Amino acid sequence: MSFPASAPVLPDVRRTLAVFAHPDDVDFGCAGTVAGWVEEGIEVAYLIVTRGGSGGFDDTPREEMPRLREAEQRAAAAAVGVHRVDFLDGYPDGILTPTPALRRDITAAIRRFRPDRVLTSSPLRRWEHLTGPSHPDHLAAGEAATCAVYPDARNSFAHPELLDEGLEPWVVREIWYAGGPSPDHAVDITDQYARKIAAMRAHRSQTGHMDVETWVHDRLTTIADNAGLPPGRLAEAFTVLRTE
């Protein structure tokens, strides 16, 4: 199973909501693209489902990790110009599933922020990459976000308690998937590379053991080369689907 070919990108997007499972997910896959959107005047907000309590590579006490990773995500967001970062409560790192409760919470965020575009992780596994993009939490966040986009956010009969909170139905017109199979929409982020690196380095608990610049440069060069961009360019890649 794979995605269809990407649709043409909407030209009039004003707001984008990024929905991801863990602090750092959006930055590993999308920070350069997000930085470019912000430069274009698009308002971007992040919704992070967990606080990443199962992450890390050192002896940081487990009880400190969620607070630490939340602070890292806020710093990473600021590095690319994003200032609205919300976290959901009650979803432990490592055992995320696309439950009705998670769909409701993402639906509430969509109706509150009213984005034209949702950016999220792919709900489709990449069998050639059983690590990274295919983490079960990533797949679950992508599936729950997809269900929130359609049908939940636009359906007044879905999660009717949200109407009591003044959250009226909203139609998201476009969804971007990161980390999925055969992404075919490349975004040249060469001019945003420095901000991508800054965002990645902000996640010190996750990247402190890495040569971040080499890892990112090699990865983005490969994506750009595969997309046929000129030599020396750097890119991130997605699948783009219309949801109207």
Side-chain angles (χ1 to χ4, degrees):
M1 179 182 295
S2 188
F3 288 117
S6 287
V9 174
L10 288 172
D12 58 345
V13 170
R14 297 177 57 197
R15 294 188 188 90
T16 296
L17 179 65
V19 182
F20 287 88
H22 312 113
D24 81 16
D25 288 349
V26 65
D27 298 300
F28 268 86
C30 318
T33 298
V34 169
W37 288 343
V38 172
E39 288 178 10
E40 294 170 11
I42 296 173
E43 183 182 0
V44 181
Y46 292 171
L47 180 69
I48 311 300
V49 177
T50 81
R51 286 176 170 78
S54 296
F57 294 91
D58 57 22
D59 57 359
T60 300
R62 287 294 96 190
E63 64 272 16
E64 294 181 13
M65 189 59 70
R67 175 194 56 78
L68 174 62
R69 295 198 68 189
E70 179 176 341
E72 289 175 345
Q73 180 62 88
R74 295 189 187 281
V80 296
V82 173
H83 303 291
R84 180 169 178 171
V85 182
D86 296 323
F87 288 82
L88 296 180
D89 294 318
Y91 298 101
D93 181 7
I95 56 172
L96 196 64
T97 56
T99 61
L102 179 56
R103 288 170 54 175
R104 180 197 62 225
D105 288 346
I106 298 174
T107 294
I110 289 172
R111 292 187 185 184
R112 190 175 294 116
F113 188 62
R114 303 172 81 79
D116 304 295
R117 170 187 294 154
V118 162
L119 168 66
T120 192
S121 52
S122 167
L124 300 183
R125 186 181 297 277
R126 292 181 64 175
W127 290 106
E128 79 278 20
H129 289 292
L130 289 179
T131 60
S134 291
H135 188 298
D137 284 2
H138 299 174
L139 302 175
E143 177 66 22
T146 301
C147 294
V149 167
Y150 179 81
D152 295 359
R154 66 187 67 188
N155 182 0
S156 61
F157 302 108
H159 315 296
E161 66 276 14
L162 296 181
L163 296 177
D164 296 333
E165 301 175 27
L167 298 176
E168 297 292 331
W170 178 257
V171 175
V172 175
R173 297 187 289 143
E174 184 181 80
I175 188 164
W176 286 46
Y177 290 112
S182 303
D184 62 351
H185 180 76
V187 178
D188 187 328
I189 62 100
T190 309
D191 294 342
Q192 291 77 37
Y193 175 67
R195 270 165 288 178
K196 167 94 170 181
I197 295 298
M200 292 280 289
R201 285 179 172 158
H203 295 285
R204 185 174 298 275
S205 68
Q206 311 305 300
T207 63
H209 66 297
M210 297 170 55
D211 180 348
V212 170
E213 188 154 359
T214 297
W215 187 90
V216 172
H217 192 275
D218 288 351
R219 183 180 181 87
L220 300 189
T221 296
T222 298
I223 294 172
D225 290 347
N226 290 342
L229 297 182
R233 306 307 290 179
L234 305 170
E236 295 170 338
F238 307 88
T239 298
V240 181
L241 300 180
R242 291 285 179 88
T243 56
E244 293 177 288

